[in-house]
Amino acid sequence: MSSTSQPLLGTRSTDTSVSAWWASRSRDVLSLLTVLLLLGTGLGIWVYGTLPTSDPSTNPHEYALSTDNIRHHLSKLLDIAREHNNSRSVTTGHSASGTYVLSQLERFGNCDAHKQRFVSPVWTVTQPPTLCVREPYRVDYIHETDFELMRYGGRSANITRGRVAVARACTADKVGDVGGRVVVVTSKCLLFETAFMLEQMGARAVVFVRSAQYKQPSRARVRLVEWREGDPLMTIPVLSATHSVGQVLTHASRVDIETHSQIDEVETFNILCVGRTGDPRNTIIVGAHLDSVRNGPGINDNGSGSSSILEIQLTLAHTKFDPHNRLVFAWWGAEEDGLLGSRHFVHTMAHNWTNKWSVYEPRIEWSDIALDLNFDMLASPNYIALVHNGTDAPRNARIGSQRIQRVFENYFARHQYTYEVTDMRGGSDFLPFVQNGVPAGGVLTGAGELKSIKERLVHGGLARAALDTCYHRDCDTLLNINIDALQKMSRAAMYAVSTLASTVDLRGYLAGHPEF
């Protein structure tokens, strides 16, 4: 406001009359304002079940959780990444990240910590691939625009003037003779099963042609989804080509393909922190993946989730939380390689896969596991608070997953935080649990998807920008962490963990019994 502005009422006599009116009516005005305030507060209680700003005494563990401590864990993980080529993947800084988590649990936690070892296939590309049609005319194609070497698509190869065969079917009895040829697959087939079949039939390389609706080649994995040690992997190159490139390849007679890649099978691990108290027959898994992608430090993805559940465990230990239901915290390995750590845990429990525990086998039975909570990316810079949609879970895990969703929604409603419900169909470590009948849920803040104008109006931030512009990139550092999101979402996690761990009839709640 300018220093030369004039009084709104303008004259001294008017000011005097207003003062006289206020002296005679002030008590009535204040009474009216008090009534309106009480009505507003009552409405807030009726709508939300509590005051808009939560009482710390009602949810002490939620408020005991320190965002500064979580950020300290993140800084340690970033230091580890910097010491390992700016990465915490299973072949770089993941092992040191696990050592840090274990050291914190041993010093300040309240659980029995175990390493569950397993083997993960690691695929590495050292140089970009090339693809060139040689006959009947020469055409050189552009990597990432026209074609792509699919993930786990074999080892290095140099094919010169390779003969082309076109496969318009997916079964061995219909593809014809492919021995010694580069096979161009135009049908919609299962990737690994078809590629491995063609390799067994003697093919030198496989090129899958995408349908016209896709404008870019695919980078999907050509590997068994639930791969485990001893399962086959591709050795010949497997490429994806756009529809227009595929039209040329189907009429080509000879092509050149050069790839520079390798697949190594390396030992890695999960960390399990098994609670010492609480009913083991109602075990709650609290999970987050600890590894990053190879080309980035992964401080949001997923240092934010793994550091949050670490600090939740340490806070519960410090406050001497006594759960009614046992808590098992899990830091999954090789999530970025296809959820291999969580899949290994689930299948050792549910399907008797071979287990390799570092000390002694923890007393966890598959039938004891009541639910899984998953926390993956809790601090995206342009975030939206997202709650997984329990309705997406398979039928045998749906009601329980919907009940878990309700717990998170209660947290956001109680604080009057905006949020959205997002799908729970894949992409993180809840998937093996719901696929095997265990209810699951969690919160997240988004990855590479763009924020719409409508979402910007509701949640703030930048429209038409990615929720995390550094997703799977080398800039996913501490500067990529939204502290406001980290506090909201880590406290949502703590609220869900402490609430569900304190629920007396947990199985009844998850089953949807009417008394809840």
Side-chain angles (χ1 to χ4, degrees), residues 46 53 139 166 374 380 396 422 473 497:
W46 179 70
T53 301
V139 184
V166 178
N374 187 67
S380 301
N396 57 350
T422 191
R473 296 174 60 196
V497 169

Side-chain angles (χ1 to χ4, degrees), residues 63-245:
Y63 287 86
L65 188 67
S66 168
T67 307
D68 287 341
N69 288 353
I70 298 173
R71 194 179 187 282
H72 174 75
H73 300 316
L74 290 172
S75 69
K76 293 295 185 182
L77 294 181
L78 182 58
D79 290 343
I80 289 169
R82 286 170 173 164
E83 294 168 1
H84 294 84
N85 198 29
N86 199 38
S87 176
R88 297 185 305 102
S89 70
V90 295
T91 56
T92 54
H94 176 253
S95 180
S97 300
T99 299
Y100 174 75
V101 169
L102 286 170
S103 70
Q104 293 294 299
L105 294 175
E106 290 165 0
R107 291 180 63 193
F108 308 113
N110 180 24
C111 64
D112 296 319
H114 308 259
K115 269 188 178 180
Q116 184 189 33
R117 303 184 188 278
F118 62 96
V119 171
S120 172
V122 176
W123 184 70
T124 307
V125 176
T126 56
Q127 293 182 39
T130 61
L131 171 63
C132 170
V133 171
R134 293 296 298 272
E135 291 183 8
Y137 36 75
R138 184 183 179 96
V139 184
D140 292 290
Y141 287 109
I142 302 172
H143 175 230
E144 296 181 335
T145 300
D146 299 320
F147 77 99
E148 182 61 89
L149 179 61
M150 303 183 77
R151 287 182 289 172
Y152 293 90
R155 296 182 169 87
S156 296
N158 189 353
I159 301 172
T160 302
R161 300 180 65 83
R163 291 185 301 160
V164 174
V166 178
R168 305 185 189 278
C170 305
T171 57
D173 59 328
K174 294 182 179 179
V175 298
D177 180 17
V178 297
R181 300 195 179 197
V182 175
V183 183
V184 178
V185 181
T186 60
S187 298
K188 188 175 181 180
C189 304
L190 295 174
L191 295 177
F192 175 78
E193 290 79 356
T194 304
F196 186 68
M197 174 195 74
L198 293 171
E199 178 179 325
Q200 297 297 102
M201 295 174 66
R204 297 180 68 188
V206 178
V207 182
F208 286 102
V209 178
R210 301 205 82 183
S211 62
Q213 70 187 95
Y214 300 106
K215 304 306 178 185
Q216 294 180 317
S218 171
R219 291 197 70 249
R221 291 186 186 93
V222 188
R223 192 194 69 197
L224 290 171
V225 172
E226 297 184 351
W227 187 93
R228 59 174 170 171
E229 187 176 5
D231 284 341
L233 294 162
M234 294 300 303
T235 61
I236 64 172
V238 182
L239 284 69
S240 169
T242 62
H243 184 74
S244 58
V245 172

Side-chain angles (χ1 to χ4, degrees), residues 448-465:
E449 58 270 36
L450 299 182
K451 180 178 285 186
S452 68
I453 294 175
K454 180 180 178 181
E455 289 170 335
R456 188 264 175 202
L457 293 174
V458 175
H459 304 283
L462 297 174
R464 299 193 181 98

Side-chain angles (χ1 to χ4, degrees), residues 222-485:
V222 188
R223 192 194 69 197
L224 290 171
V225 172
E226 297 184 351
W227 187 93
R228 59 174 170 171
E229 187 176 5
D231 284 341
L233 294 162
M234 294 300 303
T235 61
I236 64 172
V238 182
L239 284 69
S240 169
T242 62
H243 184 74
S244 58
V245 172
Q247 298 305 299
V248 177
L249 291 175
T250 56
H251 293 89
S253 56
R254 293 187 182 272
V255 298
D256 293 348
I257 294 175
E258 186 173 356
T259 62
H260 303 269
S261 58
Q262 63 187 57
I263 301 178
D264 301 301
E265 295 185 28
V266 301
E267 185 175 85
T268 187
F269 57 86
N270 299 319
I271 294 175
L272 276 294
C273 162
V274 182
R276 296 169 183 152
T277 59
D279 186 352
R281 296 167 299 177
N282 294 307
T283 294
I284 298 170
I285 304 293
V286 182
H289 75 87
L290 185 58
D291 63 312
S292 77
V293 292
R294 187 176 180 85
N295 58 341
I299 299 306
N300 184 34
D301 183 17
N302 182 38
S304 60
S306 54
S307 293
S308 292
I309 70 166
L310 174 59
E311 189 57 29
I312 288 171
Q313 212 292 323
L314 302 185
T315 301
L316 293 178
H318 178 72
T319 57
K320 296 180 170 35
F321 178 65
D322 185 22
H324 183 80
N325 308 304
R326 182 174 64 175
L327 292 168
V328 173
F329 288 79
W331 289 265
W332 308 119
E335 189 269 359
E336 299 290 5
D337 296 309
L339 318 182
L340 292 181
S342 55
R343 290 186 193 278
H344 182 78
F345 173 79
V346 168
H347 286 284
T348 57
M349 296 292 158
H351 304 295
N352 298 314
W353 280 16
T354 301
N355 230 331
K356 299 177 182 178
W357 295 101
S358 58
V359 282
Y360 58 91
E361 185 164 349
R363 295 179 180 177
I364 305 175
E365 300 292 336
W366 180 249
S367 59
D368 292 340
I369 299 174
L371 65 97
D372 168 68
L373 298 176
N374 187 67
F375 302 104
D376 191 352
M377 301 182 65
L378 301 187
S380 301
N382 192 30
Y383 78 101
I384 297 174
L386 300 169
V387 178
H388 277 306
N389 187 357
T391 304
D392 289 336
R395 186 181 300 274
N396 57 350
R398 187 170 302 157
I399 294 176
S401 298
Q402 290 169 330
R403 287 304 183 101
I404 296 168
Q405 175 187 340
R406 179 187 297 182
V407 173
F408 286 110
E409 290 180 320
N410 287 343
Y411 166 84
F412 288 103
R414 184 163 50 82
H415 287 280
Q416 297 189 41
Y417 295 151
T418 59
Y419 73 96
E420 291 187 11
V421 175
T422 191
D423 68 84
M424 194 172 67
R425 297 188 180 93
S428 197
D429 291 301
F430 59 80
L431 187 62
F433 289 91
V434 296
Q435 287 178 332
N436 286 273
V438 171
V443 290
L444 62 158
T445 53
E449 58 270 36
L450 299 182
K451 180 178 285 186
S452 68
I453 294 175
K454 180 180 178 181
E455 289 170 335
R456 188 264 175 202
L457 293 174
V458 175
H459 304 283
L462 297 174
R464 299 193 181 98
L467 302 184
D468 183 356
T469 55
C470 290
Y471 175 60
H472 284 186
R473 296 174 60 196
D474 58 4
C475 57
D476 187 8
T477 65
L478 280 175
L479 295 177
N480 194 45
I481 294 295
N482 186 311
I483 295 297
D484 177 60

